[in-house]
Amino acid sequence: MIQIPNTFHVHALARRIVEYESVDALVDVLPMLQSEPYMHIGRGSNLLFVGNYEGTLLHSRICDVEVVGEDTDSVCVRVGAGMLWDDFVAYTVDRGWSGAENLSLIPGEVGASAVQNIGAYGAEVCHMIDSVECIDLRTGEPRTFTVRECQYSYRSSVFKHQFWGMYAVVYVVYRLSKHFTPHLGYGNLASRFTTTPPTPTTLRQAIIDIRRAKLPDPEVTGNAGSFFMNPVVTESKFQSLLRQYPSVPYYRVDGGVKIPAGWMIEQCGWKGRSLHRAAVHDVSALVLINLGGATGEDILSLCRAVQADVKRKFDIDIEPEVNIVS
Ligand code: EPU
């Protein structure tokens, strides 16, 4: 048994971890997996293992980058699923290409970006994805999904639901713009550029600074970023919340009103509080952390306790954004 890499730093073992460096190597290994459980992972930055995994974990080491199309306005780049997401963002910003800079410093890999539809500071990766190249893990057959077929929505895709566990993402094709249009609409991002307009590099640096100030560094403190998704409630539910809590933060979105789960968790008194060896982060209440020596069970218990209190106080269900493997 071998330790599973995970940014929560919880002790969890797998029977085997297979890392592959090419599509052919992945296809070759598939027949020997069909008789036991298997699962594909990335860098373990959005996973919570509750206990050991009695099977094989697959992990991509395909990290090549190639420009596959270009016109006067944009460039298409095909990137191996195993490349670190933030290395890819740095690569685009270094070339002056725009689209990824608001997603700087998000942990994880290129493959997971397409599964999870990562997002931050007003940007979502689905707006820069052109297509997603996959291998069917049962048959070894290739299949390319257009961005439409990926059915992206907030932190969601077909790979997280309908096709969960069925495909390995091997390459993602992103389209970046050659014209820089800064997206400064989120929070107080614009206030950082009142004297000098941003460049892709300075915008990336501003995002990095904000993230470093708000989110715990997984190298130092075990965590997986936002643990919960921000729920979307109906207009009438929102109106009743607003009557009771006039300062409730909110964003209007398709289908309702999004309420920050971090705010609700804080209102429940959980910010900075711990249970066993797990805690709610004291700066961003949406993040659960390992105080050192936490088990997957500890973190799951904290998750359940927080969910129950939010339900009791607000009558709203909050769902994990992190993939829980039990
Ligand atoms: N808030 C509180 N208390 C807290 C945390 C937040 O009251 O402890 C309030 C803030 O004051 C603000 C609102 O909640 O009014 C939103 O907070 P913030 O801008 O920090 O964003 P978030 O909703 O906590 C989301 C993403 C993050 C992303 C940030 C910035 C989700 C699940 N999380 O967090 O993504 O970085 O916005 O765009 O949508 C991740 O997915 O791992 C992640 C970190």
Side-chain angles (χ1 to χ4, degrees), residues 8-12 220-222 275-279 289-299:
F8 265 120
H9 307 316
V10 298
H11 178 73
V220 180
T221 305
L275 184 67
H276 309 300
R277 299 298 304 152
I289 62 171
N290 181 350
L291 291 173
T295 61
E297 290 282 359
D298 287 348
I299 292 163

Side-chain angles (χ1 to χ4, degrees), residues 149-261:
E149 288 171 327
C150 294
Q151 295 178 27
Y152 284 121
S153 60
Y154 171 58
R155 297 296 194 280
S156 177
S157 71
V158 277
F159 308 114
K160 274 194 85 172
H161 298 285
Q162 187 185 348
F163 295 142
W164 175 247
M166 287 165 66
Y167 289 93
V169 174
V170 285
Y171 283 94
V172 183
V173 179
Y174 301 98
R175 182 182 295 276
L176 284 313
S177 173
K178 288 184 176 175
H179 312 291
F180 178 49
T181 316
H183 293 286
L184 304 177
Y186 194 93
N188 58 2
L189 201 48
S191 69
R192 294 181 169 243
F193 297 101
T194 44
T195 47
T196 325
T199 65
T201 307
T202 58
L203 181 48
R204 168 171 164 77
Q205 193 54 51
I207 299 286
I208 289 174
D209 293 345
I210 294 171
R211 288 188 73 92
R212 288 214 168 114
K214 275 197 170 179
L215 297 164
D217 178 356
E219 295 286 324
V220 180
T221 305
N223 79 93
S226 299
F227 193 93
F228 299 99
M229 288 190 282
N230 289 325
V232 174
V233 302
T234 61
E235 184 64 37
S236 70
K237 174 73 192 174
F238 170 62
Q239 290 303 333
S240 78
L241 259 181
L242 197 57
R243 277 191 295 278
Q244 227 184 328
Y245 305 94
S247 63
V248 56
Y250 62 93
Y251 316 95
R252 288 193 192 278
V253 294
D254 283 351
V257 185
K258 193 182 270 189
I259 311 295

Side-chain angles (χ1 to χ4, degrees), residues 20 23 26 40 60 62 79-82 110-115 131-135 137 143 145 152 159 166-174:
Y20 56 90
V23 173
L26 169 62
H40 205 291
S60 173
I62 305 175
V79 192
V110 159
S113 78
V115 172
S131 59
V132 180
E133 298 175 26
C134 297
I135 294 294
L137 290 170
R143 175 168 171 187
F145 290 78
Y152 284 121
F159 308 114
M166 287 165 66
Y167 289 93
V169 174
V170 285
Y171 283 94
V172 183
V173 179
Y174 301 98

Side-chain angles (χ1 to χ4, degrees), residues 45-46 102 106-107 116 118-123 154-155 186-187 211 214-215 224-230 249-251 258-267 271 280-287 321:
S45 50
N46 207 42
N102 287 39
I106 293 182
Q116 195 68 17
I118 56 172
Y121 306 102
Y154 171 58
R155 297 296 194 280
Y186 194 93
R211 288 188 73 92
K214 275 197 170 179
L215 297 164
S226 299
F227 193 93
F228 299 99
M229 288 190 282
N230 289 325
Y250 62 93
Y251 316 95
K258 193 182 270 189
I259 311 295
W263 177 83
M264 291 191 284
I265 295 167
E266 186 173 345
Q267 296 300 307
K271 196 169 186 165
V280 175
H281 190 234
D282 58 2
V283 180
S284 175
L286 202 53
V287 177
E321 192 236 18

